[in-house]
Amino acid sequence: MADLRITVIEADATAVTAPLLVLPHFERERRPLGAAVALDRAVGGGITRLLEAGDFRGKKDESLVLYPRDGESAAERLLLVGLGKREECTAERVRRALGTAVRQAERLGVGELAVSLDALDEASERMGAYQAARAALEGAILAAWDFRELKTKLEEDAPRAQVNAITLVARGSEEAREFCDAARFAQAAAGAENLARSLASRPGNVATPSHLAQVAEALGREHGLLVTVLDRAAMRGEGLGALLAVAQGSEEEPRFIVLEYRGGAQDQRPLALVGKGVTFDSGGISIKPAEKMEEMKYDMSGAAAVLGALRAVAELELPINVVGLIPATENLPSGRAIKPGDVVTSHLGKTIEIVNTDAEGRLILADALAYARRFQPQAILDAATLTGAVVVALGNHAIGLMGNDGDLIDEVRAVGQRVGQRCWPLPLWDEYREQLDSQVADIKNTGGRPAGTITAAWFLKEFVGDTPWAHLDIAGTAWRDDALPYLRKGATGVPTRLFVEWVRSRAEAR
Ligand code: BES
Ligand code: MN
Ligand code: ZN
């Protein structure tokens, strides 16, 4: 799908020619706000009347379309979208409002929208022009994405139009400059998240480990990333025993993918992003039930986010060094597959007793995390659809966050809050470690039912050494069964924007 075209113009909102002009509005405010003041005058008080009548209340996700008469305004349609209460207004509300606007535009058969953000002045989160525009554009870019590449014809209930262009209306040159900066960031970050969503939506027979490697290599060529891809033989050479153990049951060739972005000083230690890349998880010999097994194509959502994030970081030319690490394989049963009870030797040298072949994510991540040592990263952040237990703990509303460094955990939480990809911490107390004690090997790969998300993270912790590390369990958040105003159901792209924002904030801090 083509990118959304974004234009910033300096203009009086009444003079903006567009098929649809979007006007955000706060709940309970009975007077027109921002650009709506002048437009209300142009349409003979029509906005005031509908606000006073309570026909539009500005509740979050609410919207109402208005048709000015000929000559009243340069815009053919005005779309009021609700933000909820002013004092509760967050970037997430703005993302939702623009998502709603995009959906309405699709329904109305309008492919281009103009947006005024004037009403957002004094929004409670103290959003400046930059933050408001960034959230608005992220919401629009994410909302406009759709996964249609495997359909040969349009469906009956398909929207009448696809939104392909957005014009942001600025009040002056300073605001225009901030809107342009916001547009550049939103385009990179939300565009990268859409790439991750496309990858995670692709079925297992399309998005194979070698497909992920090809995507990485293409990114390398287009954006000047150094990309290294290891095949089975090279993995053997590097002693990636845990990754190879998972891959041995599959005919499909595994890949270990390394992407290096160098935007910082030669001697600066990089940030490491690690993503689980299980392109299909059947469970292996410990096979999963058939129900919803088809969804296990998104078990490479962590990997997709790493690919997306590296593209965004390179596009933005952030002044920092970043390395992305992706262990990619299928997890299938076969005559060659690993069996419960097997013991394998990991890249770090630790031996692992495989009690359950469906706990494969931690095996491949163990090798990737240990491999990261050679880059001497300043910090490691991994993302993995690792445990069903995180859905039991947090549902679909938060990423499970764990790690070995309190400051990094706080930092990642704050980053997640900013981008609307909330994380919630779970403890890695020593007591939990005993659940992984093995009779025959150094560690076993499952710790039983209790605290399944924590014991999975504890397993990973055994392979990171002293490097500050945080782990995101995205099993509950990488896929949605229902839609948000700015996200269709299906792959969410989580945590691509979190990754990008983390790297951006680290790059800015130096
Ligand atoms: N990929 C799954 C986790 C998962 C579950 C992701 C639901 C998305 C939605 C992972 O590999 C897995 O199978 N985990 C097991 C671990 C268990 C065997 C200890 C699980 O959560 O059941
Ligand atoms: Mn599994
Ligand atoms: Zn899995």
Side-chain angles (χ1 to χ4, degrees):
M1 205 186 65
D3 271 354
L4 200 64
R5 188 156 39 79
I6 299 173
T7 318
V8 174
I9 58 166
E10 257 181 78
D12 183 343
T14 52
V16 176
T17 319
L20 184 73
L21 173 61
V22 180
L23 300 167
H25 190 83
F26 291 119
E27 186 175 346
R28 285 197 309 220
E29 305 198 10
R30 293 299 185 86
R31 304 261 134 230
L33 305 171
V37 174
L39 282 153
D40 180 53
R41 235 176 278 129
V43 300
I47 298 178
T48 299
R49 282 198 300 283
L50 73 85
L51 290 175
E52 278 177 354
D55 292 357
F56 174 81
R57 295 169 186 275
K59 287 186 185 300
K60 85 169 168 164
D61 308 336
E62 189 186 353
S63 69
L64 187 119
V65 64
L66 218 105
Y67 293 80
R69 276 178 297 214
D70 241 4
E72 284 183 340
S73 98
E76 281 168 51
R77 302 172 187 79
L78 305 179
L79 182 74
L80 293 167
V81 290
L83 291 164
K85 299 184 186 97
R86 186 190 289 266
E87 66 276 13
E88 289 173 1
C89 188
T90 56
E92 183 66 5
R93 287 282 172 90
V94 179
R95 265 177 231 115
R96 291 180 76 115
L98 265 288
T100 301
V102 167
R103 288 290 167 270
Q104 292 298 355
E106 289 171 346
R107 203 174 54 83
L108 296 166
V110 169
E112 298 182 16
L113 4 146
V115 182
S116 165
L117 297 172
D118 302 358
L120 280 161
D121 291 348
E122 295 161 53
S124 79
E125 221 180 44
R126 298 228 158 267
M127 247 178 291
Y130 172 84
Q131 290 301 344
R134 191 173 128 182
L137 292 171
E138 284 172 359
I141 294 165
L142 295 169
W145 175 89
D146 202 358
F147 186 71
R148 298 217 183 133
E149 61 188 46
L150 300 175
K151 291 201 185 276
T152 60
K153 54 174 190 276
L154 273 182
E155 283 153 326
E156 297 269 308
D157 59 348
R160 287 172 56 203
Q162 255 181 291
V163 173
N164 52 44
I166 286 219
T167 303
L168 267 189
V169 187
R171 282 167 293 189
S173 58
E174 193 183 320
E175 194 171 72
R177 217 171 312 118
E178 297 203 55
F179 283 1
C180 285
D181 288 349
R184 182 162 178 265
F185 190 89
Q187 190 81 266
E193 194 146 279
N194 285 345
L195 167 66
R197 291 161 85 190
S198 293
L199 291 171
S201 303
R202 285 180 192 154
N205 65 331
V206 176
T208 57
S210 20
H211 177 76
L212 297 183
Q214 280 163 13
V215 169
E217 278 163 347
L219 292 180
R221 283 190 300 275
E222 285 162 37
H223 300 282
L225 303 167
L226 178 61
V227 175
T228 314
V229 176
L230 310 190
D231 61 8
R232 235 189 261 265
M235 288 178 209
R236 263 184 225 113
E238 292 286 356
L240 299 175
L243 171 56
L244 281 164
V246 176
Q248 79 190 36
S250 177
E251 301 277 336
E252 193 63 51
E253 281 297 307
R255 293 288 184 264
F256 186 71
I257 307 164
V258 182
L259 305 99
E260 293 171 72
Y261 167 75
R262 305 204 64 93
Q266 274 292 330
D267 59 348
Q268 181 201 56
R269 295 166 69 185
L271 296 175
L273 300 174
V274 181
K276 172 177 172 182
V278 173
T279 58
F280 186 75
D281 182 12
S282 72
I285 296 295
S286 314
I287 198 161
K288 289 179 181 296
E291 178 107 22
K292 288 208 167 183
M293 202 205 269
E294 75 281 4
E295 286 186 0
M296 279 302 120
K297 65 179 185 178
Y298 79 84
D299 212 16
M300 35 57 76
S301 294
V306 170
L307 290 170
L310 270 122
R311 184 179 86 176
V313 166
E315 265 175 24
L316 291 166
E317 300 178 327
L318 295 177
I320 193 165
N321 296 331
V322 184
V323 52
L325 299 157
I326 298 172
T329 178
E330 294 184 328
N331 183 27
L332 292 183
S334 84
R336 275 201 300 271
I338 41 168
K339 305 170 295 296
D342 285 0
V343 174
V344 300
T345 302
S346 68
H347 182 60
L348 194 63
K350 285 192 188 184
T351 56
I352 305 167
E353 180 189 4
I354 297 168
V355 172
N356 188 319
T357 66
D358 198 11
E360 84 297 341
R362 63 198 75 181
L363 294 173
I364 71 173
L365 285 167
D367 275 358
L369 292 167
Y371 191 92
R373 279 177 311 169
R374 75 181 58 191
F375 297 100
Q376 298 181 288
Q378 32 171 314
I380 305 176
L381 185 53
D382 84 70
T385 44
L386 205 61
T387 65
V390 80
V391 189
V392 177
L394 300 170
N396 307 111
H397 302 295
I399 296 167
L401 172 62
M402 289 141 281
N404 62 4
D405 185 294
D407 290 341
L408 179 61
I409 287 173
D410 291 346
E411 179 187 351
V412 171
R413 252 184 99 177
V415 167
Q417 180 71 38
R418 287 204 292 281
V419 300
Q421 300 184 329
R422 280 179 299 183
C423 304
W424 199 257
L426 294 170
L428 289 192
W429 293 319
D430 288 345
E431 287 80 354
Y432 293 108
R433 173 61 180 80
E434 292 164 21
Q435 288 174 240
L436 298 173
D437 288 346
S438 166
Q439 299 276 332
V440 295
D442 295 334
I443 192 167
K444 56 183 188 179
N445 79 329
T446 62
R449 295 265 293 171
T453 302
I454 291 172
T455 52
W458 237 117
F459 183 92
L460 300 182
K461 184 168 131 110
E462 291 281 329
F463 296 87
V464 290
D466 298 331
T467 308
W469 155 79
H471 158 64
L472 303 172
D473 193 330
I474 56 170
T477 45
W479 191 266
R480 298 189 66 93
D481 294 327
D482 57 347
L484 278 180
Y486 64 87
L487 279 186
R488 294 178 204 282
K489 54 186 182 184
T492 63
V494 164
T496 311
R497 282 182 302 119
L498 186 156
F499 276 166
V500 178
E501 174 63 13
W502 182 55
V503 176
R504 187 206 61 76
S505 65
R506 283 275 178 138
E508 193 165 81
R510 29 187 54 249

